[in-house]
Amino acid sequence: MQQVAQHQHQHHHHHHNPKPPVPRSSSWIRRSPPPSPPHKKLWVVGGGGGRSRYVCRLVPLLVLTVYSIFTVVRIPSSSLVVSTADSERVERREDVEASFKTHLPSNQNNLEAREETRSPASLPCSALINGEAGGGMESALCCDRSHYRSDVCYLRGDVRTDPSTSSVMLYNAPRGSAAVEKVRPYTRKFEPSIMSTIDEVTIVPVVDDATTSNGTTATGDAAAAKDSLRRRCDVRHAPGVAAVVFSTGGYTGNVYHEFSDGLIPLFVTAQRFAGEVVFVVLEYHYWWLGRYGAVLERLTNYKIVDFRYDRRVHCFSEMIVGLRIHGELVVDPKLMPNGKSIKDFQALLHQGYSRTPSSSSSASAQPPVPLPLASPSRPCLRPADDHAASSKPSSKPKLVIFIRKQNRVILNLPHVVTACRRAGFAPHVMNLRRQTPLPAIHAALASADAMVAVHGAAVTHFLFMRPGSVLLQIVPVGLDWAADAFYGKPAQQLGLEYAEYKVAPEESSLAAEYGVNSTVVRDPSVISSRGWWEMKKVYMDRQNVTVNVKRFGELLRAARLHLKNATACGRAAAAATKTTAAVR
């Protein structure tokens, strides 16, 4: 159109201010077209020599446009090939089509269908972290900061630690990755106050380490000189052995956070390596290794590296800094490349804490086995056993009661224990302390049919319970949402039968302190709206409960009925009833 406008502009001056002809050497864009012979003028509406020249130019352009459109339409849809191996990595079809429309080659025969090989730089970082992209020798560096809980970075190539500066060096880093990355490898990114206490890891990419200043590849002495600038490897880990860097700081020391913020995200991140991974730990605690060593040795075949005090330079071919997390005490199989779930994590716990010392040497070769639905050692209950008090205590389903000593205490615990016996359970009271060995807790719960606990960190131990057993959580005033989100939903995903006993206002010690009709007791949302710490100070730190035994007994009887119907004995009895009815 710019050319047409130019021609019209020149045609206007040709009538009013004629100029001498432009020399032949001038550009064709600026040269006026020669006048057409009278007998070859095209028919135009309105007449006029200017219109005829315009049409002469316009017709070829229209023909060319129509031909181009016809060429694009004839491209078969099968030629727009995009790899669909990973839906997360497939480019949008509209973008591909737009590329064809705006970059049409001059030769139509060059329009070929081909599937391009995706480079690490073109893949989503999550695909590299999850191992979906496969291995390779090509260097890679990326960070996934999209999750509200954690930042995770992935490195592949010549990776070397620098403990003196809390840094990780990636030599021969890919072009375009010259920016330094900083990560605090802990899974509570949404809490700035706690994240500020976590040690920061600096990732330093060193680009084109073997390239000279003039852009040519260094050879001989020049390459050796550049290689000497790298930090010398004190420990060179075998190719294929990756590293996972994470922190055991923050809320570590609270069993809920040890599992939710640490162990389960570690399982999510590291289980894909099948033990061929080294854990590099910041803010390392020796008691943490003693407490969870049985689990950690199921995830790694190597000794743990204390990043702060191990001054050696460790060299790896692959590294992940940070941990992936799916939520509170959960492993989402839809987000796992191999479909693993929280039941696979529980099987790992079961294998770690249930083995005998004599089997410890061969335990690593055994695959984790999920807990059975019902204990085969427990005899089937007869109807008369429901009313038996103590004649056959071994036939009663086992119920474990976790108690607290400082806050959220059950003030009428003896009455609660009696209610459990009357409902047909064999109650066992556990007063957990920090030094209570996890194998002892696991042994108590793996053989239990039900568990009762007031909302708090100890409820986390439901992870040791068999699918089909019952978790009964006593929920104090103001803690409804936390009880369901932190324990209720995760327990159901594990396959437990979950029930809540919600404390009534008059059953809370806050009623005596503030008044049963006070806003604190009747409308906890007012306090909760002031933030987590205000809510914690009132409803978690200063509240005890007195359970209504009659109402609590109804939940216990419902749990007892569920167990009768859910166990292998209950299913066998139901099948026998159907068989008897069919015979009759």
Side-chain angles (χ1 to χ4, degrees):
M1 294 301 295
Q2 183 179 359
Q3 296 172 12
V4 173
Q6 249 179 328
H7 288 308
Q8 289 177 337
H9 182 71
Q10 291 171 1
H11 181 69
H12 174 76
H13 287 282
H14 177 72
H15 287 284
H16 296 86
N17 190 16
K19 293 184 179 180
V22 180
R24 185 173 297 273
S25 60
S26 300
S27 170
W28 69 270
I29 297 178
R30 298 172 54 193
R31 187 168 61 245
S32 301
S36 302
H39 63 280
K40 289 189 177 181
K41 285 186 178 180
L42 297 174
W43 179 84
V44 293
V45 178
R51 294 292 182 87
S52 64
R53 294 186 183 92
Y54 174 76
V55 173
C56 289
R57 294 288 179 180
L58 183 61
V59 170
L61 290 174
L62 290 174
V63 172
L64 180 59
T65 302
V66 171
Y67 175 77
S68 300
I69 294 174
F70 179 74
T71 302
V72 174
V73 170
R74 288 188 60 190
I75 297 175
S77 58
S78 61
S79 66
L80 302 177
V81 177
V82 181
S83 172
T84 57
D86 185 346
S87 60
E88 196 175 345
R89 303 195 296 267
V90 175
E91 298 178 358
R92 295 185 59 188
R93 182 181 178 87
E94 300 86 60
D95 295 337
V96 177
E97 292 177 345
S99 176
F100 275 94
K101 292 176 183 177
T102 56
H103 298 87
L104 284 173
S106 58
N107 185 354
Q108 184 182 355
N109 295 328
N110 290 334
L111 294 175
E112 298 177 353
R114 68 179 185 275
E115 186 169 333
E116 297 182 356
T117 302
R118 305 288 297 276
S119 66
S122 67
L123 293 170
C125 197
S126 59
L128 297 171
I129 296 167
N130 289 340
E132 299 170 86
M137 299 303 295
E138 190 174 351
S139 179
L141 170 60
C142 66
C143 292
D144 182 0
R145 302 183 185 273
S146 61
H147 201 281
Y148 79 103
R149 288 289 300 262
S150 65
D151 293 332
V152 186
C153 291
Y154 176 86
L155 301 84
R156 186 168 68 206
D158 187 356
V159 184
R160 308 189 183 194
T161 63
D162 184 0
S164 62
T165 59
S166 295
S167 300
V168 174
M169 316 292 290
L170 175 62
Y171 293 97
N172 293 338
R175 292 183 178 275
S177 58
V180 172
E181 301 282 358
K182 294 182 179 292
V183 183
R184 297 185 188 272
Y186 192 62
T187 57
R188 298 191 75 84
K189 187 172 75 172
F190 61 93
E191 285 193 62
S193 59
I194 199 67
M195 291 299 289
S196 64
T197 68
I198 304 298
D199 288 350
E200 189 174 62
V201 177
T202 302
I203 301 172
V204 182
V206 182
V207 183
D208 292 335
D209 189 53
T211 303
T212 61
S213 58
N214 61 2
T216 60
T217 302
T219 58
D221 295 340
K226 285 184 173 294
D227 188 66
S228 66
L229 297 177
R230 304 186 186 188
R231 293 187 61 83
R232 181 178 58 84
C233 294
D234 297 313
V235 182
R236 184 179 293 277
H237 297 270
V241 177
V244 172
V245 182
F246 62 97
S247 173
T248 56
Y251 290 123
T252 301
N254 176 292
V255 66
Y256 169 79
H257 292 286
E258 286 166 5
F259 277 91
S260 185
D261 300 341
L263 290 176
I264 294 179
L266 182 61
F267 172 80
V268 168
T269 307
Q271 58 82 33
R272 73 175 180 90
F273 296 107
E276 291 302 297
V277 60
V278 176
F279 295 152
V280 180
V281 181
L282 285 75
E283 300 162 273
Y284 175 77
H285 305 286
Y286 286 98
W287 64 259
W288 178 81
L289 176 61
R291 188 169 177 81
Y292 297 110
V295 179
L296 298 172
E297 68 181 24
R298 301 300 310 170
L299 291 172
T300 177
N301 301 328
Y302 302 91
K303 292 183 178 180
I304 290 176
V305 175
D306 183 349
F307 193 50
R308 177 182 291 176
Y309 292 105
D310 189 338
R311 314 309 293 178
R312 297 175 298 175
V313 175
H314 290 259
C315 298
F316 300 92
S317 59
E318 188 176 11
M319 177 179 284
I320 297 174
V321 182
L323 299 178
R324 298 192 72 83
I325 183 170
H326 295 162
E328 309 293 340
L329 296 177
V330 66
V331 178
D332 189 344
K334 296 189 296 295
L335 300 177
M336 299 289 285
N338 50 17
K340 298 287 186 180
S341 70
I342 189 65
K343 293 182 180 180
D344 295 285
F345 175 75
Q346 187 198 46
L348 184 142
L349 294 177
H350 177 59
Q351 187 175 25
Y353 290 125
S354 64
R355 71 170 190 250
T356 59
S358 60
S359 64
S360 60
S361 59
S362 60
S364 59
Q366 302 171 0
V369 179
L371 289 171
L373 180 64
S375 174
S377 62
R378 180 165 289 110
C380 293
L381 300 176
R382 299 191 305 272
D385 291 335
D386 295 341
H387 305 287
S390 59
S391 59
K392 295 181 180 179
S394 61
S395 66
K396 290 185 176 183
K398 178 182 176 181
L399 182 146
V400 176
I401 304 173
F402 285 100
I403 62 173
R404 301 176 61 90
K405 288 295 187 181
Q406 295 182 346
N407 48 43
R408 283 160 280 155
V409 176
I410 301 176
L411 298 176
N412 59 338
L413 178 63
H415 297 88
V416 170
V417 173
T418 301
C420 292
R421 290 199 183 99
R422 288 177 177 173
F425 287 97
H428 298 257
V429 177
M430 289 197 71
N431 180 17
L432 295 184
R433 292 179 172 84
R434 185 65 196 170
Q435 61 269 25
T436 303
L438 277 181
I441 303 174
H442 175 269
L445 287 176
S447 61
D449 298 279
M451 167 182 165
V452 172
V454 181
H455 173 75
V459 185
T460 308
H461 295 109
F462 76 79
L463 291 167
F464 295 156
M465 299 182 72
R466 292 173 290 112
S469 51
V470 177
L471 170 62
L472 203 166
Q473 182 177 196
I474 299 174
V475 184
V477 170
L479 299 178
D480 292 11
W481 176 85
D484 183 59
F486 297 163
Y487 304 114
K489 286 184 172 62
Q492 290 172 312
Q493 291 182 0
L494 189 57
L496 303 185
E497 181 71 12
Y498 175 68
E500 286 183 349
Y501 177 86
K502 294 188 177 182
V503 172
E506 61 274 11
E507 298 171 10
S508 170
S509 62
L510 297 177
E513 183 176 355
Y514 293 95
V516 71
N517 294 317
S518 64
T519 301
V520 170
V521 176
R522 293 291 179 179
D523 191 3
S525 62
V526 174
I527 304 298
S528 299
S529 64
R530 300 175 186 172
W532 168 261
W533 293 108
E534 282 297 314
M535 186 276 289
K536 178 181 182 298
K537 182 172 65 177
V538 175
Y539 297 110
M540 300 185 73
D541 297 344
R542 296 168 60 178
Q543 183 174 194
N544 296 318
V545 299
T546 302
V547 173
N548 184 313
V549 175
K550 181 179 179 180
R551 188 161 65 91
F552 188 68
E554 294 174 357
L555 279 178
L556 290 171
R557 286 187 289 274
R560 181 73 174 84
L561 180 61
H562 162 77
L563 290 171
K564 288 178 62 177
N565 295 333
T567 60
C569 297
R571 291 195 298 270
T577 303
K578 291 182 180 179
T579 303
T580 303
V583 171
R584 291 179 180 177

